[in-house]
């Protein structure tokens, strides 16, 4: 299924590409420094038992992000 969703709404095993990153977020620069820029491939690897944080594979590194931070990244799903 193609379409756009927030990074925080991805399920384990889903893959996509960064479509946009909200500059309004207080952690915009941190997210960008982690490699979350337009076109970057992202895979949701695992959610913690309580659902927060979630581990994502970003540019070969496994990164854990809280839902409050991941909601600022818009992802375009990949088939």
């Amino acid at each position: 299924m193609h379409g756009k969703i927030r990074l925080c709404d991805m399920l384990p095993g889903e893959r996509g590409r960064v479509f946009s990153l909200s500059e309004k977020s207080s952690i915009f620069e941190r997210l960008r420094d982690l490699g979350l820029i337009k076109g970057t491939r992202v895979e949701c690897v695992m959610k913690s038992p309580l659902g927060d944080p979630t581990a994502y594979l970003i540019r070969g590194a496994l990164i854990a992000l809280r839902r409050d931070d991941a909601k600022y990244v818009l992802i375009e799903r990949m088939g």
Side-chain angles (χ1 to χ4, degrees):
M1 173 199 280
H2 293 282
K4 294 177 186 71
I5 60 171
R6 296 180 306 165
L7 180 63
C8 63
D9 295 326
M10 289 180 79
L11 299 173
E14 279 192 298
R15 289 181 273 173
R17 291 182 189 266
V18 174
F19 183 77
S20 66
L21 180 61
S22 173
E23 294 183 32
K24 295 178 183 176
S25 77
S26 60
I27 62 158
F28 170 76
E29 287 189 30
R30 178 176 176 261
L31 294 172
R32 193 180 60 193
D33 289 345
L34 290 172
L36 289 167
I37 58 173
K38 186 169 183 158
T40 299
R41 292 181 186 200
V42 177
E43 179 179 349
C44 180
V45 177
M46 149 178 62
K47 289 191 181 264
S48 70
L50 298 177
D52 201 24
T54 299
Y56 303 95
L57 188 60
I58 303 168
R59 297 185 180 258
L62 194 60
I63 308 280
L65 292 173
R66 295 177 306 163
R67 182 173 185 79
D68 283 348
D69 298 334
K71 70 183 179 186
Y72 295 109
V73 182
L74 189 61
I75 297 294
E76 186 169 31
R77 288 179 168 148
M78 294 172 56

